[in-house]
Structures are given as structure tokens and as C-alpha cells.
Amino acid sequence: MSENYQPDVKLDENPNGTVSFATEVVATIAGLAATEVEGVASMSSQNGGLADMFSRKNTRNFTKGVRIDLDGNKVTVDITIVVEYGSPVPDVARSIQENVKKAIETMSGLDVHAVDVHVSGVSFEREQRANAELDEQRRKMLEKSEAEAETSAQEEPAEAEEPEAEEEPEEEAEEADDEEEDAADGE
């Protein structure tokens, strides 16, 4: 996408010199501002196709899906995103427009003419991850309940034997009392 960028943006000319920065700086600011919005799953280039599918998720290309057009001191931004399933698209798009405009104007001093948001897809990753977490919790609970059932099954025979063991000394004690009574009667 770098072929779409003008090499430098002149921000200020004064007697001390000029202030300019690369156009990719504006694209990076826009990309970061867009990814901060709740409901944005990822950035996507409009014509990425297979390259987007096989690119690593952890790569930090903040200009992916961002195109900047400059007309003097006015900026037009095109942003292409993938929305998370369940997120209201109009709300996400509006938040992106506000966040990108504010970030570019604050950080660069340029005037943002328009922020156009293009939605290229919907991501089900968060929903799938939530389902996987639920399945994992269910599996752990099942294992725990099976372990508790096994433990209680092993303890039940031991508890059944204990009362019998307690009764035997009582019987012996009663027999000993009976013998003592017999001995006392015999005197």
C-alpha cells in the first residue's frame, strides 16, 4: 500500500525551517485509532485476499487496511476492517470515524475531511473462543464430579466397616461385664 502514499507531508514552514513527516505516520495513527475501537476484530486490506488469510495475526502492520489521501492540509482516510460478530456495525463505524478524526487532528495538526469505513468481513473468533472456554469449563466440572464420586464411593465401605468395628468392642465390653457379674454371683 505504500505506493499510494505521498512521500512527505509539510506541516509547517517558518524562519527556523520546516516540519514534515511521512504520510505513513498519518496511516499508522489512523490504524491504531481504529483498532482501539470495541468491535473491531482486525484491519483488512480491500484487495488482500489470500495474503490476508495467510498473514500472521501477531504481525504489527498498523497501516494495513488504511489509505490516506492528502489534498493540501486536508486528509481523507479510507479504513477497511473486519467486525466482531455481535457488534453493531453502525456503532462500530461511527466510533472509528470519531476516534480516527480526533487522533489525526490531535497528533498531526492536519484537518480530517472524511473517514470512510469499509467492512470487509465478520469475525466469529471471539464467539468460537467463548464456546471453547465453556466446553473446557464443562469438561473440568465433569472430571471434578467424577473424581468426587469416586472418592465418596471409596469412603462409603470404610464408613460401613467403622460402625461394625465400634460395635465389636461394645460386645466384648458387655461380655466382660457379664463375666464380672457371673463372678460376683458365684462368690
Side-chain angles (χ1 to χ4, degrees):
M1 292 201 88
S2 61
E3 66 272 1
N4 293 334
Y5 295 124
Q6 298 170 1
D8 285 328
V9 176
K10 275 191 180 176
L11 184 62
D12 187 23
E13 286 190 51
N14 59 49
N16 296 330
T18 62
V19 176
S20 63
F21 49 87
T23 309
E24 283 197 36
V25 171
V26 179
T28 301
I29 292 168
L32 284 168
T35 57
E36 290 174 349
V37 174
E38 179 92 18
V40 175
S42 65
M43 302 297 288
S44 172
S45 48
Q46 288 181 323
N47 53 4
L50 287 175
D52 280 347
M53 279 195 251
F54 293 112
S55 68
R56 301 174 114 206
K57 289 182 181 181
N58 294 335
T59 57
R60 291 292 195 183
N61 183 4
F62 296 115
T63 61
K64 178 181 175 181
V66 179
R67 196 177 100 229
I68 302 294
D69 291 321
L70 287 167
D71 184 20
N73 205 25
K74 291 190 179 219
V75 180
T76 300
V77 183
D78 283 312
I79 296 181
T80 305
I81 62 163
V82 176
V83 176
E84 291 178 348
Y85 176 76
S87 298
V89 176
D91 294 345
V92 171
R94 196 173 306 107
S95 295
I96 289 171
Q97 289 171 327
E98 292 169 1
N99 209 29
V100 168
K101 179 177 170 55
K102 179 181 172 188
I104 290 174
E105 289 179 348
T106 302
M107 294 180 74
S108 71
L110 296 171
D111 183 34
V112 177
H113 175 69
V115 178
D116 299 324
V117 178
H118 308 277
V119 179
S120 68
V122 177
S123 173
F124 297 95
E125 188 174 321
R126 183 172 69 173
E127 182 177 289
Q128 290 170 347
R129 193 171 41 241
N131 286 339
E133 288 175 6
L134 283 174
D135 289 344
E136 181 69 18
Q137 288 176 350
R138 287 181 192 140
R139 185 185 59 77
K140 285 181 180 179
M141 288 176 60
L142 182 61
E143 287 175 358
K144 183 178 177 183
S145 64
E146 287 174 352
E148 288 174 354
E150 186 177 305
T151 303
S152 64
Q154 290 174 352
E155 290 176 356
E156 285 179 13
E159 289 176 4
E161 291 174 11
E162 287 177 14
E164 291 175 12
E166 290 175 10
E167 291 176 11
E168 289 178 13
E170 288 177 16
E171 290 175 8
E172 290 175 10
E174 288 176 13
E175 289 176 13
D177 289 339
D178 289 340
E179 288 176 12
E180 288 176 13
E181 289 176 14
D182 289 340
D185 289 337
E187 291 177 10

